Amino acid sequence: MSRQLSSLLAIAAVCATLAPAPAIAEATPAPAQGAKSTAAKKTAKAKKPVNCSQVKCLALTFDDGPGKYAGKLLDTLKKYDAKATFFLEGQYVKARPQFVKRMVAEGHELGNHSYSHPDFTKSDGAKIRDEIKKTQDAVKKAAGVEPKLLRPPYGLTDLQVSDIATEFGMPIILWTAGSKDWSSKNVKAIQKQTLAVAEQNGIILMHDWVKQTVDGMPALIKTLKNKGYHLVTVSEVIKDQKLEPGDAFPLPEGWEQ
């Protein structure tokens, strides 16, 4: 995808702020061959990657975290075998590293959402670089990995942000629609809004610091799955987009391809 930009853009969507199995005793008899084969088939089926060009995929993304309800959210995602992408703030990564480590261990994706949530379009280059770098370092310290995706605070971006994202080798990930959870803070409203804007290969903006979002997630996930959606990471949704560092997706209005 080309990164030709027709003009500076500020696209706004307000973001508030943000057991292991027991060992088998030696005396335990080995399972029958048929049972082993069945178990192996089930495992292989469970690990088969999702092809978002053939099935309905949806990426739930959570900004400003890890929030204090992240543990409960992770419990829900694990229970329903759903994956998500967390766009983390470095200051909260530092405060709650155990959640970040768990996110990686349980197969979720991490993105960079700055360190302290300033408006990048009103910041100089040194400030933006520092915000991104500090968060990269905090995530690596907490979980041993570095985010590959950038979501600027408030979803605000311009040419300078795009150039700096390129320096870090990161595409800019926005969203196709939002849950408006930060505004409504109402379980039913959040569920209704999310279901209304869900679409194939959509990217939904949510927040794990909003208690009502986390409280309503079990029912929401079940409903989305009943509608045929596979809840996957952003990278699975954008796999066929072939984004380059600095590219923004979804492409904001006013940015030419």
Side-chain angles (χ1 to χ4, degrees), residues 102-197:
R102 184 178 168 189
M103 289 168 184
V104 173
E106 296 181 2
H108 303 292
E109 184 170 37
L110 306 184
N112 189 315
H113 194 48
S114 82
Y115 192 87
S116 60
H117 211 271
D119 181 347
F120 278 4
T121 65
K122 296 179 181 178
S123 305
D124 62 31
K127 171 67 172 178
I128 297 171
R129 291 181 180 91
D130 184 61
E131 287 278 327
I132 296 174
K133 181 64 164 57
K134 285 172 65 178
T135 298
Q136 294 292 93
D137 292 345
V139 172
K140 187 170 184 178
K141 181 178 180 180
V145 300
E146 289 187 326
K148 305 298 183 184
L149 309 173
L150 176 67
R151 176 173 283 173
Y154 310 104
L156 296 172
T157 188
D158 58 17
L159 283 170
Q160 178 178 237
V161 176
S162 179
D163 287 342
I164 294 174
T166 301
E167 294 175 15
F168 282 89
M170 307 167 81
I172 297 169
I173 303 299
L174 304 177
W175 50 86
T176 58
S179 63
K180 300 183 180 179
D181 57 351
W182 59 269
S183 177
S184 69
K185 291 190 172 73
N186 178 279
V187 171
K188 294 297 183 183
I190 294 166
Q191 293 170 334
K192 182 178 180 180
Q193 169 65 14
T194 303
L195 292 171
V197 299

Side-chain angles (χ1 to χ4, degrees), residues 210-222:
V210 177
K211 183 178 184 298
Q212 295 83 357
T213 294
V214 177
D215 288 345
M217 196 55 59
L220 180 58
I221 289 177
K222 286 190 286 187

Side-chain angles (χ1 to χ4, degrees), residues 32-135:
Q33 186 63 39
K36 289 177 65 176
S37 299
T38 301
K41 288 178 181 179
K42 287 183 177 180
T43 300
K45 184 177 181 180
K47 293 183 177 181
K48 184 178 180 179
V50 174
N51 187 336
C52 293
S53 66
Q54 297 180 0
V55 300
K56 288 171 64 176
C57 288
L58 184 69
L60 300 181
T61 68
F62 298 89
D63 280 15
D64 305 341
K68 61 182 179 180
Y69 308 113
K72 182 178 179 180
L73 175 58
L74 288 168
D75 289 343
T76 298
L77 293 171
K78 184 176 183 179
K79 179 178 179 179
Y80 294 102
D81 192 27
K83 302 305 179 187
T85 299
F86 294 86
F87 286 95
L88 306 173
E89 286 185 42
Q91 59 181 333
Y92 300 122
V93 171
K94 184 178 180 180
R96 305 182 181 106
Q98 71 278 12
F99 290 149
V100 182
K101 187 175 182 179
R102 184 178 168 189
M103 289 168 184
V104 173
E106 296 181 2
H108 303 292
E109 184 170 37
L110 306 184
N112 189 315
H113 194 48
S114 82
Y115 192 87
S116 60
H117 211 271
D119 181 347
F120 278 4
T121 65
K122 296 179 181 178
S123 305
D124 62 31
K127 171 67 172 178
I128 297 171
R129 291 181 180 91
D130 184 61
E131 287 278 327
I132 296 174
K133 181 64 164 57
K134 285 172 65 178
T135 298

